[in-house]
């Protein structure tokens, strides 16, 4: 199923894009080779006691996403009033709220602001539910940002409990507003709140949901291309939802080339770092491996501090410096120059991240995701069948797309270390702890 062309055509009708924006879909993707100082987050990730890179703690900081549509960032800046709103009419009730109308949503508070969009927590006057309003500023000369077109066009066709739901699209002369379900936090904030690594059972449930969502979009030939904790929303019940599809692409067959300026540096796979532009779903699976390790260890797997060279050195230090024998075709990649890299031998992952050894089958699963050679990486569907998940209830594999894993009896989050049972009294698949209502 190739949804790009169809949905973009539909959205062009309502957004009146300028002609030049239609040329070169990847041209608006900004280089991600470095981490700008002004994008660094104020909350620093607590490092584990084991750090194979021996970097000072105050150097590794979390980079938050600008484009996350649904996370709850508090802001002290005053919210500007929205431009003049046109009231819609209806034969039955001239003032009744309807989908597709700006005055059908009430802004409650400002959550965050990025380079081209501002996000508000809001309330729908149609059904009374909380929503996230991603208000994208339109400029007459430049038209609608392509990231917004991609995100809206793809999400309109994706219906899965582990993918953020796009409720509505509102177009005015000044703005394009995407109305999402409201989700109160993301995995990055959740890990910042619980430093030192998450409860192993919660890691398992979060990873299972991430793989469910990825398997769904990969089966539809869609790549996310920007997997990172900031783009994984977490609801108050523990549901994980893929979000921020601004860099996503529908992948056609046979393979085309795509921009290699995708995926935040820490979660970007070595093949893309080395200049490869021909990739498939294996691109996303590297990010899954990095996030998996980070949830368990409590520290980013490969927190590059400088540039692509530094990022690759960190990867090769653990996984070994590649050659034609371990990675067929690596010599042909544009940025692979053997004399530029220190020659490292591959290590067991537990040598770099000791907490992997505390959880049955975790190291094996991580090693099958973090493969330098792209074709060796486990697919999302295959990862769901890994022995790491063998103690989960069998019913989880039979759920429909729109059914939450928490609809299965006794599947609940565990209380994180240092957290009050009154706040998160949840039991995961019947391990004998008492239930406390959330």
């Amino acid at each position: 199923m190739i949804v790009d062309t169809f949905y973009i055509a539909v959205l062009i009708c309502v957004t009146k894009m300028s002609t030049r924006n239609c040329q070169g879909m990847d041209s608006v993707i900004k280089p991600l080779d470095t981490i700008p100082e002004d994008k660094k987050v104020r909350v620093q990730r607590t490092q584990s006691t084991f750090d194979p890179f021996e970097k000072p703690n105050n150097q590794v900081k979390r980079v938050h996403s600008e484009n996350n549509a649904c996370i709850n960032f508090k802001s002290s800046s005053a919210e500007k009033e929205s431009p003049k709103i046109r009231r819609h009419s209806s034969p039955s009730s001239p003032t009744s709220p309807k989908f597709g109308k700006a005055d059908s949503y009430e802004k409650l508070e400002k959550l965050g602001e990025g380079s081209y969009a501002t996000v508000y927590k809001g309330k729908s006057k149609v059904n009374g539910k909380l929503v996230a309003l991603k208000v994208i500023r339109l400029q007459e000369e430049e038209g609608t940002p392509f990231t917004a077109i991609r995100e809206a066009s793809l999400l309109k066709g994706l219906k899965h409990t582990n993918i953020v739901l796009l409720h509505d699209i509102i177009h005015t002369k000044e703005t394009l507003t995407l109305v999402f379900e409201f989700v109160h936090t993301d995995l990055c904030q959740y890990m910042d709140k619980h430093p030192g690594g998450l409860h192993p059972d919660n890691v398992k449930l979060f990873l299972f949901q991430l793989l469910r969502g990825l398997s769904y979009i990969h089966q539809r030939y869609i790549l996310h291309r920007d997997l990172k904790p900031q783009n994984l929303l977490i609801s108050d019940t523990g549901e994980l939802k893929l979000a921020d599809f601004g860099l996503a692409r529908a992948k056609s067959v046979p393979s085309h080339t795509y921009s290699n300026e995708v995926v935040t540096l820490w979660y970007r796979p070595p093949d893309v770092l080395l200049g490869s532009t021909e990739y498939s779903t294996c691109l996303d699976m590297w990010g899954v491996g990095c996030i998996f390790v980070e949830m368990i260890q409590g520290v980013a797997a490969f927190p590059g501090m400088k540039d692509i060279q530094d990022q690759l050195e960190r990867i090769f230090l653990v996984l070994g410096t590649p050659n034609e024998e371990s990675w067929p075709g690596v010599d042909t990649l544009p940025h692979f120059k053997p004399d530029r890299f220190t020659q490292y031998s591959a290590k067991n992952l537990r040598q770099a991240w000791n907490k992997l050894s505390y959880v049955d089958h975790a190291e094996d699963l991580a090693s099958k995701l973090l493969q330098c050679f792209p074709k060796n990486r486990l697919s999302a569907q295959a990862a769901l069948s890994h022995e790491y998940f063998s103690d989960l209830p069998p019913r989880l594999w039979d759920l429909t797309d729109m059914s939450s894993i928490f609809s299965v009896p006794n599947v609940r989050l565990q209380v994180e270390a240092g957290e009050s049972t009154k706040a998160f009294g949840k039991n995961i698949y019947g391990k004998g702890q008492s239930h406390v209502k959330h």
Side-chain angles (χ1 to χ4, degrees), residues 187 191 207 210-211 214 218 224-229 232 242 263-272 280-295 301-302 366 369-371 377-378:
L187 183 59
M191 289 192 290
L207 183 62
L210 171 56
L211 291 170
L214 280 179
H218 287 174
H224 187 280
R225 303 205 308 167
D226 195 20
L227 283 184
K228 55 186 175 182
L232 303 178
L242 281 167
V263 187
T264 301
L265 193 64
W266 292 359
Y267 309 93
R268 199 185 301 182
D271 44 308
V272 178
S280 185
T281 54
C282 54
L283 167 71
D284 288 337
M285 300 314 297
W286 175 270
V288 174
C290 293
I291 292 167
F292 179 35
V293 167
E294 188 169 354
M295 287 193 291
F302 304 110
L369 294 168
L370 295 176
Q371 290 284 323
R377 292 172 205 152
L378 212 57

Side-chain angles (χ1 to χ4, degrees), residues 3-72:
V3 299
D4 249 349
T5 305
F6 175 77
Y7 283 118
I8 290 177
V10 174
L11 284 171
I12 286 176
C13 294
V14 297
T15 56
K16 301 179 181 178
M17 292 177 52
S18 64
T19 303
R20 62 181 171 183
N21 270 22
C22 296
Q23 299 173 356
M25 298 182 72
D26 287 311
S27 63
V28 298
I29 300 176
K30 298 179 180 179
L32 298 169
D33 293 349
T34 59
I35 302 173
E37 289 294 328
D38 60 345
K39 301 298 182 186
K40 293 184 179 180
V41 79
R42 292 171 299 194
V43 181
Q44 179 176 325
R45 174 62 49 80
T46 302
Q47 300 295 309
S48 63
T49 54
F50 177 82
D51 185 357
F53 307 112
E54 299 181 353
K55 290 284 184 180
N57 288 355
N58 60 7
Q59 291 186 19
V60 182
K61 296 185 178 181
R62 170 66 50 211
V63 180
H64 280 283
S65 168
E66 293 181 347
N67 298 328
N68 197 323
C70 309
I71 58 177
N72 190 3

Side-chain angles (χ1 to χ4, degrees), residues 96-101 104-105 123-129 168:
S96 61
K98 287 187 175 182
F99 289 110
K101 299 294 182 179
S104 295
Y105 301 94
K123 185 176 182 180
S124 170
K125 297 179 183 178
V126 179
N127 54 24
K129 292 184 177 181
D168 203 356

Side-chain angles (χ1 to χ4, degrees), residues 34-314:
T34 59
I35 302 173
E37 289 294 328
D38 60 345
K39 301 298 182 186
K40 293 184 179 180
V41 79
R42 292 171 299 194
V43 181
Q44 179 176 325
R45 174 62 49 80
T46 302
Q47 300 295 309
S48 63
T49 54
F50 177 82
D51 185 357
F53 307 112
E54 299 181 353
K55 290 284 184 180
N57 288 355
N58 60 7
Q59 291 186 19
V60 182
K61 296 185 178 181
R62 170 66 50 211
V63 180
H64 280 283
S65 168
E66 293 181 347
N67 298 328
N68 197 323
C70 309
I71 58 177
N72 190 3
F73 284 117
K74 298 293 183 182
S75 174
S76 59
S77 59
E79 176 184 329
K80 295 181 180 180
E81 291 186 5
S82 57
K84 197 175 290 184
I85 298 174
R86 293 180 289 107
R87 302 291 295 183
H88 64 281
S89 60
S90 169
S92 58
S93 176
T95 60
S96 61
K98 287 187 175 182
F99 289 110
K101 299 294 182 179
D103 55 350
S104 295
Y105 301 94
E106 176 188 0
K107 292 177 182 176
L108 301 179
E109 61 178 302
K110 186 176 179 179
L111 301 180
E113 187 167 5
S115 57
Y116 77 98
T118 304
V119 182
Y120 299 91
K121 179 180 180 180
K123 185 176 182 180
S124 170
K125 297 179 183 178
V126 179
N127 54 24
K129 292 184 177 181
L130 291 177
V131 294
L133 304 170
K134 187 172 185 177
V135 182
I136 301 159
R137 298 175 288 276
L138 305 182
Q139 298 188 14
E140 188 173 346
E141 293 184 358
E142 298 182 3
T144 305
F146 243 114
T147 51
I149 293 295
R150 281 173 168 161
E151 185 170 21
S153 64
L154 291 174
L155 284 173
K156 279 170 64 70
L158 299 177
K159 304 299 179 185
H160 194 282
T161 189
N162 296 124
I163 296 174
V164 66
L165 181 62
L166 177 64
H167 285 306
D168 203 356
I169 300 175
I170 303 165
H171 176 248
T172 67
K173 184 177 180 180
E174 297 86 7
T175 63
L176 177 69
T177 301
L178 306 182
V179 184
F180 295 92
E181 62 177 314
F182 180 79
V183 186
H184 82 296
T185 191
D186 62 27
L187 183 59
C188 179
Q189 291 181 331
Y190 188 90
M191 289 192 290
D192 284 339
K193 185 179 178 182
H194 307 290
L198 305 182
H199 192 292
D201 292 339
N202 294 346
V203 172
K204 188 169 295 187
L205 289 187
F206 287 148
L207 183 62
F208 189 87
Q209 293 179 89
L210 171 56
L211 291 170
R212 278 191 78 200
L214 280 179
S215 177
Y216 175 85
I217 67 171
H218 287 174
Q219 288 175 26
R220 286 155 180 77
Y221 307 106
I222 294 173
L223 315 179
H224 187 280
R225 303 205 308 167
D226 195 20
L227 283 184
K228 55 186 175 182
Q230 299 92 322
N231 289 343
L232 303 178
L233 307 184
I234 305 291
S235 75
D236 54 1
T237 60
E239 274 196 316
L240 181 145
K241 297 175 182 288
L242 281 167
D244 203 339
F245 280 71
L247 293 184
R249 285 290 299 271
K251 184 180 185 302
S252 59
V253 179
S255 175
H256 290 298
T257 59
Y258 300 104
S259 167
N260 63 353
E261 298 297 345
V262 294
V263 187
T264 301
L265 193 64
W266 292 359
Y267 309 93
R268 199 185 301 182
D271 44 308
V272 178
L273 291 168
L274 289 171
S276 173
T277 56
E278 296 185 8
Y279 45 75
S280 185
T281 54
C282 54
L283 167 71
D284 288 337
M285 300 314 297
W286 175 270
V288 174
C290 293
I291 292 167
F292 179 35
V293 167
E294 188 169 354
M295 287 193 291
I296 289 181
Q297 190 69 26
V299 59
F302 304 110
M305 297 306 302
K306 300 176 183 177
D307 49 24
I308 285 179
Q309 177 78 16
D310 179 49
Q311 187 68 25
L312 285 167
E313 287 281 350
R314 289 172 177 270

